[in-house]
Amino acid sequence: MEHSTNASGSGQEETVVSPTGHSEEFAQQRVSNPTKEAWVLDSLKKRRTEFLHKQQIRAFVGTWNVNGKAPPADLGQLTAWLGFVPDNEAELDKLPELVVLGFQELDVRAEAFVYNNSVKDMEWTEAVERSMGGAKQKLVKVASKQLIGMFIMVYVRTDMVDVVTDVKMASVGCGIMGMVGNKGAVAVRLTFRDTPMCFVCAHLAHDGAQVERRNAQFHDLSRRLTFAGSAADADPLTPSADVVGSGATEADRMHSVFDHSYVVWFGDLNYRLAIDTGDMDEILARGEHRSLLGLDQLQIVRMNKQAFAGFEEGHIDFAPTYKYIVGTSEYDARRRPAWCDRVLWWTRPGCEDGVQSEAYESVDSVCTSDHKPVRAQLGLDVWRVDVEQRRAVFLEVLRELDRYENECIPTANVEATTVDFGDVYFGRAVRRQLRVGNSGQVPLEYGFVATPNRAAVAPGWLRISPEHGMLLPGQHVDVELVISVDERTSAPLSTRQEDLDDILVLHLTRGRDYFIQVHGAYQVSVYGMSLDVLVHCKGAVRNMTRADFEQCLRSGQFSVPRSMWLLIDFLSRYGVDRGLTLFNYSGDSVLGRRIREWLDTDQPLDPGTILQWPEGGDAQGSSRMSLTDQTLVASAISDIDVLAPSTAEALEQLSLGTWTPTPMRAESDSESEPDLEPDSHRHLSSGQAAEAIAGRAAHDAGVDTVASCLVELLRALPSPLIPTALYTACIEAGGHSRAAALEALEVLPPGNLNVLVYLLAFLREAVERGATAAARVARVFAPALLRPPVGHIRVDAEDGYAEMFVLYLLQSHGQI
């Protein structure tokens, strides 16, 4: 066997065993269609016992943070850690086939960090091999890798050396500045017979509060640890370069940690206990450490899939391994004990149950470090692939597939040719299912395809899942069809230029096409309607026809949309004037739908219903207002001073100066255009009612819902109030000054400017009167006013700049 040594940097040693020429030539047939590929792989899986021969081996995995200390003078401590060293030569044949040892903090000298130079690896290697005694004669080191304080060694039993191939190593630093090797990982990958496996020795960020950083380092190492060159297939059913695919070879790409059948990840992972219970010393003194495992951060992040998702670990029945007073088995009272040193494993799908934990323990008698060493003995299922037999099985599967395809043309049973979605509302998805079954004798490949009139498979308001697939004879699939109208697709629907009608084409490969008609009745709404249409609408939009919209657009227009005026007027009267907070609560969805219905059918917003809406409940349920409060509110609504001007009337002037009562009217060619002020649009004048309302809670579920409706109305505009073409200029202005913000709006279309000034005047008054905070307004309205163009790449500070832009506008009194 040929060995080679390579020095990577000053003092970093790599020892590699050259591969012995492991390779296989397989059938050159290709299954290029993904759906056929899935069927072939499923068939191979059912017949895997015909070409796979499984064997179980044992792997000893040890990890120890040595705290920068030299090897113990008493080699018996190392022998105690290794555990597998037999007492006599007669038991040498019982040695594990693989021995993997990992160290952390091997070298903590300053020069090792600065110059990436360490000389401790040879010292520890010699000590370990001396502690093996006669077992060393039965073991061969096939790989080692060091990165400053991290060091990994892999030994193979001499009678198994010839079946271990494709040995590769890698290292990645993720410490200081995310790159320095004081933290990171060293890894070795190898193939045992035809089973690729990877061993990762890691040292993650210390300190109990660094959970998120440790999680991030795990994901960073998983991404950056790669191995070059060829490798055996991680799944013996899917030889990636031979059986299935388009011909790319394994040598053409880098292999990640998870391109293996098994990954064993071990080391000082530094996860601590989430909290200090206050009585840990007593618990540990009583030997009840198992009761603390529920606080283990590593178990918590695994359960929440924040890191090490899919990894398994042996049963922990040993005391925390950190932090000890050096030279003793007593915990350092200055630190919270924790299970920092761990051994975990991951198995590739298809290789489940291939790893079994036979032993998992720490060695309490070793006292030279502030960590106790940990060891695990694992049983690993490895396999040998009979290449010729696998090829024969594969060819039989292909012939079986060909026979199925040639027996008859595929046919499908489509449950319906018409799918009716009923009434469809803006922002509310409607789902239907279409069952497609294979009624023929061969595998059926189906897929929805584009039509000559449309490049996409379906219109933008319709989603299909799955769009394509494969069914074996007798199988069926329920295809989900979802209609969802949002601001991206609502504009032509809102003016009846288009309808929710379409014909989908379901195509069978080598078969016929099926035509499925989909239909929905879109309920026209002010939500999802463009601003230039909204300012022309003077009545109910729900039942308007296409001709009605065309006539409406030729008539006069309001300064601001009537729907927005109604919402702001209500918030001014029953929110700001009553001393309630705005934009801090989301409101009630049921009431929100009712308010939308009133706006769409041009009905006034009913204060009697809105103000008595129970928080988190239905209007039919018990109100959260007492009977006395309900009576006083009713009195307040009826006791109205007709002469008092409203805030909304003043806002209609689009002036940021002093209010003067001017009713809101449409800009019409006709003098007979009706006044938009509703009968109930007046201020409260009853002292008793005002006092009762002022005594209400700081917020009201009904008023909160109206506020949410206002924000959603802005979000629903197909083109935002500040056009996307100005987005970049506005964001840049938000990072500079108020003057820059005002300059960015100089090219704002006049109609948009009118509405923006009107909205800002109301928001400014709400802030000045304590109904909300300027920062809260900026956070809520920035996403509604500023929408990035399609394909825009966001940067981290963008949201903050958008909020600052809105704050600048709020501060620009009389300057817009």
Side-chain angles (χ1 to χ4, degrees), residues 339-416:
W339 285 276
C340 292
D341 309 279
R342 311 290 275 270
V343 178
L344 301 95
W345 67 86
W346 171 90
T347 59
R348 185 182 183 87
C351 304
E352 295 88 350
D353 303 322
V355 180
Q356 300 86 38
S357 177
E358 298 178 354
Y360 190 29
E361 54 199 350
S362 67
V363 185
D364 190 60
S365 61
V366 179
C367 304
T368 59
S369 170
D370 55 356
H371 288 252
K372 295 296 184 184
V374 170
R375 64 191 181 201
Q377 185 151 300
L378 305 175
L380 304 179
D381 290 342
V382 297
W383 49 80
R384 179 176 59 82
V385 178
D386 186 330
V387 178
E388 291 304 318
Q389 182 62 22
R390 182 173 63 176
R391 176 179 181 177
V393 172
F394 174 67
L395 294 177
E396 289 179 13
V397 169
L398 285 186
R399 283 193 290 269
E400 183 180 6
L401 179 61
D402 289 339
R403 186 172 63 254
Y404 275 132
E405 291 181 330
N406 293 330
E407 282 181 353
C408 63
I409 296 176
T411 58
N413 179 25
V414 180
E415 185 178 52

Side-chain angles (χ1 to χ4, degrees), residues 487-488 718 720 723-725 727-728 787-794:
E487 67 277 4
R488 295 169 299 180
T724 54
Y727 178 81
T728 301
R787 193 182 307 162
V790 176
H792 175 76
I793 301 176
R794 301 181 67 89

Side-chain angles (χ1 to χ4, degrees), residues 241-552:
D242 293 316
V243 174
V244 181
S246 58
T249 64
E250 287 289 287
D252 293 336
R253 70 181 184 93
M254 301 295 287
H255 296 272
S256 77
V257 167
F258 296 104
D259 286 332
H260 299 84
S261 300
Y262 307 132
V263 177
V264 180
W265 195 301
F266 61 103
D268 181 4
L269 305 186
N270 254 324
Y271 285 93
R272 312 297 175 88
L273 297 183
I275 60 173
D276 191 341
T277 61
D279 58 351
M280 286 187 179
D281 292 340
E282 298 177 10
I283 293 174
L284 293 172
R286 294 195 301 267
E288 298 175 354
H289 48 265
R290 286 188 297 274
S291 63
L292 299 175
L293 282 171
L295 304 176
D296 176 49
Q297 292 174 344
L298 180 54
Q299 294 200 17
I300 293 172
V301 300
R302 284 171 54 205
M303 180 179 61
N304 294 332
K305 300 186 184 305
Q306 295 168 304
F308 292 96
F311 277 77
E312 300 179 64
E313 184 178 17
H315 176 65
I316 296 179
D317 196 22
F318 50 87
T321 59
Y322 175 84
K323 175 180 183 174
Y324 289 87
I325 299 173
V326 175
T328 74
S329 290
E330 297 179 7
Y331 289 105
D332 188 335
R334 295 171 299 176
R335 294 291 182 91
R336 188 185 307 166
W339 285 276
C340 292
D341 309 279
R342 311 290 275 270
V343 178
L344 301 95
W345 67 86
W346 171 90
T347 59
R348 185 182 183 87
C351 304
E352 295 88 350
D353 303 322
V355 180
Q356 300 86 38
S357 177
E358 298 178 354
Y360 190 29
E361 54 199 350
S362 67
V363 185
D364 190 60
S365 61
V366 179
C367 304
T368 59
S369 170
D370 55 356
H371 288 252
K372 295 296 184 184
V374 170
R375 64 191 181 201
Q377 185 151 300
L378 305 175
L380 304 179
D381 290 342
V382 297
W383 49 80
R384 179 176 59 82
V385 178
D386 186 330
V387 178
E388 291 304 318
Q389 182 62 22
R390 182 173 63 176
R391 176 179 181 177
V393 172
F394 174 67
L395 294 177
E396 289 179 13
V397 169
L398 285 186
R399 283 193 290 269
E400 183 180 6
L401 179 61
D402 289 339
R403 186 172 63 254
Y404 275 132
E405 291 181 330
N406 293 330
E407 282 181 353
C408 63
I409 296 176
T411 58
N413 179 25
V414 180
E415 185 178 52
T417 56
T418 301
V419 181
D420 190 350
F421 287 82
D423 293 340
V424 177
Y425 295 85
F426 179 88
R428 288 155 62 180
V430 182
R431 291 174 167 78
R432 296 289 186 268
Q433 285 192 336
L434 177 69
R435 174 161 293 190
V436 178
N438 184 351
S439 57
Q441 302 300 315
V442 296
L444 179 151
E445 295 179 59
Y446 70 90
F448 290 87
V449 297
T451 65
N453 298 326
R454 183 184 62 240
V457 169
W461 41 262
L462 180 65
R463 298 196 306 271
I464 306 172
S465 179
E467 288 187 1
H468 54 80
M470 181 175 183
L471 298 172
L472 296 179
Q475 290 184 336
H476 68 268
V477 62
D478 290 323
V479 178
E480 184 176 58
L481 306 177
V482 182
I483 286 185
S484 180
V485 178
D486 56 23
E487 67 277 4
R488 295 169 299 180
T489 57
S490 61
L493 298 170
S494 297
T495 55
R496 307 289 190 190
Q497 300 297 313
E498 294 182 6
D499 296 314
L500 295 178
D501 282 301
D502 198 72
I503 295 178
L504 304 177
V505 180
L506 177 64
H507 174 71
L508 306 187
T509 301
R510 298 179 58 219
R512 56 166 289 191
D513 291 340
Y514 294 81
F515 299 93
I516 297 102
Q517 182 177 8
V518 294
H519 170 75
Y522 182 62
Q523 304 301 298
V524 173
S525 173
V526 295
Y527 287 81
M529 190 172 287
S530 62
L531 184 62
D532 57 344
V533 176
L534 282 172
V535 294
H536 285 85
C537 294
K538 306 171 185 65
V541 301
R542 172 60 49 78
N543 299 318
M544 289 178 64
T545 64
R546 180 172 179 174
D548 293 335
F549 278 109
E550 292 174 352
Q551 181 179 356
C552 175

Side-chain angles (χ1 to χ4, degrees), residues 518-663:
V518 294
H519 170 75
Y522 182 62
Q523 304 301 298
V524 173
S525 173
V526 295
Y527 287 81
M529 190 172 287
S530 62
L531 184 62
D532 57 344
V533 176
L534 282 172
V535 294
H536 285 85
C537 294
K538 306 171 185 65
V541 301
R542 172 60 49 78
N543 299 318
M544 289 178 64
T545 64
R546 180 172 179 174
D548 293 335
F549 278 109
E550 292 174 352
Q551 181 179 356
C552 175
L553 291 172
R554 292 193 295 268
S555 65
Q557 68 181 60
F558 296 124
S559 298
V560 296
R562 174 177 169 82
S563 51
M564 183 181 296
W565 178 81
L566 288 172
L567 294 171
I568 290 180
D569 179 66
F570 188 96
L571 292 174
S572 177
R573 289 182 175 280
Y574 301 109
V576 177
D577 291 351
R578 292 170 61 205
L580 299 179
T581 61
L582 300 179
F583 309 116
N584 285 327
Y585 300 88
S586 59
D588 184 88
S589 60
V590 176
L591 177 58
R593 291 180 182 178
R594 184 174 297 187
I595 292 173
R596 287 190 180 193
E597 190 71 14
W598 289 338
L599 296 175
D600 295 340
T601 56
D602 197 36
Q603 299 181 50
L605 305 186
D606 180 15
T609 298
I610 296 174
L611 297 181
Q612 299 185 58
W613 196 268
E615 188 165 2
D618 192 301
Q620 302 301 323
S622 60
S623 172
R624 64 191 178 102
M625 297 178 64
S626 66
L627 181 60
T628 302
D629 283 343
Q630 296 180 36
T631 304
L632 290 177
V633 169
S635 172
I637 294 172
S638 61
D639 242 355
I640 292 175
D641 183 358
V642 180
L643 300 178
S646 72
T647 303
E649 290 169 336
L651 291 176
E652 171 54 18
Q653 299 175 89
L654 306 179
S655 169
L656 302 187
T658 306
W659 305 127
T660 54
T662 303

Side-chain angles (χ1 to χ4, degrees), residues 92 95 132-140 158:
L92 288 177
L95 289 174
M132 291 181 180
K136 176 61 181 74
Q137 305 305 317
K138 292 287 187 179
L139 294 171
V140 176
T158 54

